[in-house]
Amino acid sequence: MGLMPTGTLAALGLGLSVAAGAGGYFHGLDVGRQRERAAAHKDIDAANAARDRLRTLIEQAALKHLEAEQARQSTQREIVRESERVVERPVYRSQCVDADGVRLLDRAAANANGEPAAASAGGAGGAAAR
Amino acid sequence: MASLPPHLLVAPEALPRVERSGTGDAAAMTGAQCHASLIELYGVAGQIRARLIELQEAERLRAADDGKEKD
């Protein structure tokens, strides 16, 4: 077996070095990508956990408010029932608002509801004259 | 970010018109109609107020959670 020429040995050495370098580079690249993916997963998990935590808090608050709203509605019904009894008294049969007053109240309602008619609707023209 | 419960995103109820007898120039309200109209108005206002309070609390929770995330 003859000795290899120096040039061939050098080329072989160079080839091996390049191959090792490239291998190391690609391995490093792969490890970097894996770390990046792991970090991204961690971020997504943290964001999901935060969103779930917030959703739970909002749902708990909504439940508390639902109970309060049901209590309010129940009291409102009670007030309406009681009002129906109270207004049977003679004093409630007398007129307390005339046509101009009703028109103004309608305008106030339209204004509160953001209806464009509220600004241009006829006002209580006769009210000032009386 | 968690979204708000759907019932908080519903448009609020319109305020009711007052009860009356007759129409136009003949429209008038008795004391009874006045009383009933005010009670109805308070009812709707109470509902809108309750929803506003709930919305404000939901927004406070979101803001507090945002602050925690930034820390």
Side-chain angles (χ1 to χ4, degrees):
Chain A
M1 191 166 65
L3 283 175
M4 275 191 199
T6 315
T8 310
L9 268 177
L12 204 63
L14 185 67
L16 277 172
S17 298
V18 168
Y25 171 76
F26 286 115
H27 175 70
L29 205 62
D30 197 41
V31 168
R33 278 187 188 144
Q34 276 175 7
R35 281 188 189 154
E36 214 170 86
R37 267 199 298 271
H41 276 300
K42 208 173 152 188
D43 286 349
I44 290 168
D45 288 347
N48 284 342
R51 198 178 50 235
D52 289 347
R53 194 178 55 238
L54 179 59
R55 190 185 297 133
T56 305
L57 283 174
I58 290 177
E59 279 170 3
Q60 282 170 351
L63 200 63
K64 189 184 77 185
H65 288 288
L66 179 67
E67 284 168 9
E69 176 59 11
Q70 282 169 344
R72 190 194 66 77
Q73 284 178 9
S74 165
T75 306
Q76 176 74 10
R77 281 193 294 272
E78 199 180 297
I79 290 168
V80 169
R81 273 198 305 273
E82 206 170 320
S83 164
E84 285 163 3
R85 270 204 314 275
V86 167
V87 299
E88 282 171 7
R89 296 171 190 165
V91 67
Y92 289 94
R93 286 182 208 139
S94 59
Q95 201 180 88
C96 73
V97 182
D98 70 357
D100 286 336
V102 171
R103 257 195 298 274
L104 271 179
L105 289 173
D106 282 348
R107 203 171 156 204
N111 192 36
N113 289 327
E115 293 167 15
S120 57
R130 280 173 205 155
Chain B
M1 185 171 284
S3 54
L4 290 170
H7 72 279
L8 289 182
L9 302 174
V10 173
E13 194 179 329
L15 297 176
R17 275 161 44 109
V18 292
E19 290 182 15
R20 76 218 43 210
S21 315
T23 54
D25 286 343
M29 295 173 79
T30 62
Q33 288 169 326
C34 227
H35 197 259
S37 297
L38 275 174
I39 287 174
E40 196 187 354
L41 196 56
Y42 275 123
V44 175
Q47 187 189 50
I48 294 170
R49 183 175 179 273
R51 199 174 296 165
L52 174 65
I53 289 170
E54 192 177 351
L55 258 174
Q56 286 176 330
E57 185 171 356
E59 185 50 38
R60 256 197 305 275
L61 288 171
R62 280 164 65 138
D65 199 71
D66 274 357
K68 239 186 264 170
E69 273 180 24
K70 280 173 193 156
D71 288 345

